[in-house]
């Protein structure tokens, strides 16, 4: 009896893997007014210091920064700005070799999934533009149509990436899984993949 053919899925981290810099930082610098950006960074300094000493988690630091930057901002307004930025500015951050690999998987009929700690609100429009349907990324909490700045669920980093993949795909052993990543936050995702690539799209001069 022949074994059933397994579906093939390719999962890509974004920051540092597909992009050559942190996309959330780039987005914030382009969309947050200067009068709000400076004070927000000052308010976040204690958490940043705590993180450098190992006293505060990465997730709490990120949430602290996002709260200072986006608390009270109208969700629909920011999503419109995010969609525009994703189409017109974000492509400049993308590594051509990484996008070529995405295109190769698509040409083979493989399911491509973007799994990133970056913000879902700008990754989704970019993903749609390049034909990626599935985006697992960090989400922001909304109350009464305004952002609180807090995270909705967990930062999509480390083990959370694998948990979110299992929610989407079910048994990961039932698919032929390719994974592409570049940092500590991708180790768990790479570990569960049958085919794994660490920093595959960086030139030798940038390693």
């Amino acid at each position: 009896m022949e074994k059933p053919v397994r579906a093939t899925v390719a999962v890509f981290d974004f920051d540092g893997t597909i992009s050559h810099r942190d996309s959330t930082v780039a987005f914030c610098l382009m969309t947050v007014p200067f009068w709000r950006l400076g004070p927000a960074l000052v308010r976040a300094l204690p958490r940043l210091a705590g993180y450098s000493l190992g006293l505060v988690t990465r997730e709490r630091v990120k949430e602290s920064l996002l709260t200072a930057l986006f608390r009270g901002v109208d969700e629909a307004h920011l999503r419109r700005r995010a969609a525009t930025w994703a189409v017109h500015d974000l492509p400049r951050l993308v590594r051509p070799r990484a996008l070529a690999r995405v295109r190769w998987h698509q040409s083979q009929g493989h399911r491509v999934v973007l799994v990133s700690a970056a913000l879902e609100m700008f990754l989704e429009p970019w993903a749609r533009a390049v034909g990626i349907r599935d985006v697992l990324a960090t989400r922001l909490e909304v109350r009464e149509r305004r952002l609180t700045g807090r995270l909705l669920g967990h930062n999509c980093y480390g083990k959370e990436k694998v948990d979110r993949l299992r929610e989407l795909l079910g048994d990961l052993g039932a698919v032929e899984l390719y994974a592409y990543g570049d940092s500590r936050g991708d180790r768990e995702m790479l570990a569960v993949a049958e085919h794994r690539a660490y920093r595959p799209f960086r030139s030798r001069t940038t390693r």
Side-chain angles (χ1 to χ4, degrees), residues 124-188:
E124 278 194 339
W126 178 83
R128 286 197 301 269
V130 299
I132 298 174
R133 182 184 64 187
D134 298 302
V135 177
L136 307 176
T138 299
R139 298 166 291 195
L140 295 177
E141 182 184 70
V142 178
R143 290 188 179 179
E144 298 180 354
R145 300 181 182 180
R146 292 190 175 274
L147 299 171
T148 66
R150 292 190 292 270
L151 302 184
L152 181 63
H154 293 292
N155 188 32
C156 194
Y157 179 91
K159 180 179 176 296
E160 178 69 11
K161 291 192 173 188
V162 177
D163 291 343
R164 299 274 294 273
L165 279 171
R166 287 198 172 108
E167 288 178 11
L168 177 69
L169 302 173
D171 180 10
L172 298 181
V175 299
E176 183 178 8
L177 191 64
Y178 287 76
Y180 302 85
D182 82 300
S183 71
R184 168 64 188 86
D186 301 313
R187 287 181 186 175
E188 291 86 347

Side-chain angles (χ1 to χ4, degrees), residues 7-157:
T8 301
V9 181
V11 298
F12 288 79
D13 168 59
F14 191 80
D15 288 342
T17 302
I18 290 180
S19 72
H20 60 75
R21 61 174 293 196
D22 189 297
S23 57
T24 299
V25 171
F27 173 69
C28 292
L29 290 174
M30 288 294 294
T31 57
V32 177
F34 180 75
W35 59 265
R36 185 165 187 160
L37 187 62
L41 292 174
V42 171
R43 288 197 297 274
L45 281 176
R47 290 273 175 90
L48 289 169
Y51 176 70
S52 67
L53 295 172
L55 303 174
V56 179
T57 65
R58 174 186 292 266
E59 184 167 307
R60 290 196 68 188
V61 169
K62 186 170 188 173
E63 189 170 64
S64 176
L65 282 167
L66 293 172
T67 298
L69 293 171
F70 295 124
R71 181 171 54 193
V73 172
D74 180 78
E75 182 203 12
H77 172 73
L78 190 62
R79 283 195 178 276
R80 287 193 295 270
R81 296 200 66 183
T84 299
W85 185 81
V87 172
H88 295 288
D89 298 296
L90 186 53
R92 291 198 291 268
L93 305 185
V94 171
R95 299 178 190 272
R97 290 177 60 206
L99 185 57
R101 189 62 176 174
V102 169
R103 298 294 194 200
W104 179 83
H105 279 291
Q106 291 171 328
S107 73
Q108 300 301 305
H110 302 164
R111 184 175 184 176
V112 177
V113 184
L114 198 60
V115 190
S116 174
L119 296 181
E120 185 183 65
M121 67 169 51
F122 62 74
L123 280 189
E124 278 194 339
W126 178 83
R128 286 197 301 269
V130 299
I132 298 174
R133 182 184 64 187
D134 298 302
V135 177
L136 307 176
T138 299
R139 298 166 291 195
L140 295 177
E141 182 184 70
V142 178
R143 290 188 179 179
E144 298 180 354
R145 300 181 182 180
R146 292 190 175 274
L147 299 171
T148 66
R150 292 190 292 270
L151 302 184
L152 181 63
H154 293 292
N155 188 32
C156 194
Y157 179 91

Side-chain angles (χ1 to χ4, degrees), residues 193-206:
E194 187 173 338
H195 311 282
R196 59 188 70 95
Y198 181 71
R199 298 183 176 180
F201 310 118
R202 298 190 183 190
S203 64
R204 292 181 180 179
T205 57
T206 59

